[in-house]
Amino acid sequence: HQQLMRFRARKQKLAFVVDEYGDVQGLVTIEDILEEIVGEFTSSTATDASIEKIAENIFLVDAAINLRDLNRRIQTNFSVKGPKTLNGIITEYLENIPNRKMCLYLSGHRIELIDIKHNQVKRVIIYRDK
C-alpha cells in the first residue's frame, strides 16, 4: 500500500528493489502492485496458450506464467510466497540469470530450460511428478 501511494505521489510507474547493501534485486511496477491487490490483468485466452501438454505429465510452459495458475492448471506445487512467475522462481533458485539451456529440480519437478532470450527464461519443459 505504501509503495502504491509513493508511485501515485511521485507520478512514477516503476522502481528498483534494493537489498540492505544497496544491490539491485529487481524491479517493481505499478502493475505488479495492482495485480497483487486485484489479481491478473491478462485475459483467459492468453493464459490458456501458456501451457501445452506434450505427453503424460510433460508440459511445454511459457515461463512468464503466474505460479498460482501453473499450480492450479497442471497440479504442481511451486511456492507462491516469493516470486510470482515461473521465470522469477527459476532465476531466484539459480541466483542469476541463466545464459544457456540447462535442467534443474524445483519443488520435486524436473525443469528443462529450452528458450532463454533477453535475460529471461522464455519457455521450459516441466516433467511433473506422477
Side-chain angles (χ1 to χ4, degrees), residues 82-100:
K84 301 300 179 205
T85 64
L86 184 57
N87 175 50
I89 202 168
I90 289 169
T91 304
E92 179 182 82
Y93 176 80
L94 294 174
E95 295 183 351
N96 66 21
I97 299 168
N99 58 6
R100 60 183 164 78

Side-chain angles (χ1 to χ4, degrees), residues 79-130:
S79 172
V80 294
K81 291 188 179 183
K84 301 300 179 205
T85 64
L86 184 57
N87 175 50
I89 202 168
I90 289 169
T91 304
E92 179 182 82
Y93 176 80
L94 294 174
E95 295 183 351
N96 66 21
I97 299 168
N99 58 6
R100 60 183 164 78
K101 295 178 182 180
M102 63 174 49
C103 286
L104 56 106
Y105 282 89
L106 257 173
S107 300
H109 305 290
R110 179 177 159 206
I111 300 176
E112 187 177 338
L113 311 184
I114 59 167
D115 189 10
I116 302 163
K117 290 182 185 167
H118 308 294
N119 294 328
Q120 283 187 334
V121 178
K122 295 291 188 179
R123 292 185 309 156
V124 302
I125 296 176
I126 296 179
Y127 300 84
R128 190 186 65 198
D129 290 343
K130 295 180 172 107

Side-chain angles (χ1 to χ4, degrees), residues 72-83:
R72 181 180 43 79
R73 291 177 58 200
I74 66 170
Q75 290 76 49
T76 51
N77 57 348
F78 295 105
S79 172
V80 294
K81 291 188 179 183

Side-chain angles (χ1 to χ4, degrees), residues 42-84:
T42 58
S43 67
S44 60
T45 46
T47 305
D48 292 345
S50 59
I51 298 175
E52 179 184 335
K53 187 173 185 175
I54 297 173
E56 190 65 31
N57 295 315
I58 302 173
F59 301 88
L60 177 63
V61 179
D62 179 344
I65 191 168
N66 180 286
L67 289 174
R68 288 184 194 277
D69 291 340
L70 180 63
N71 287 341
R72 181 180 43 79
R73 291 177 58 200
I74 66 170
Q75 290 76 49
T76 51
N77 57 348
F78 295 105
S79 172
V80 294
K81 291 188 179 183
K84 301 300 179 205

Side-chain angles (χ1 to χ4, degrees), residues 13-24:
K13 294 184 180 182
L14 61 96
F16 289 104
V17 178
V18 296
D19 64 13
E20 65 269 21
Y21 304 108
D23 293 332
V24 175

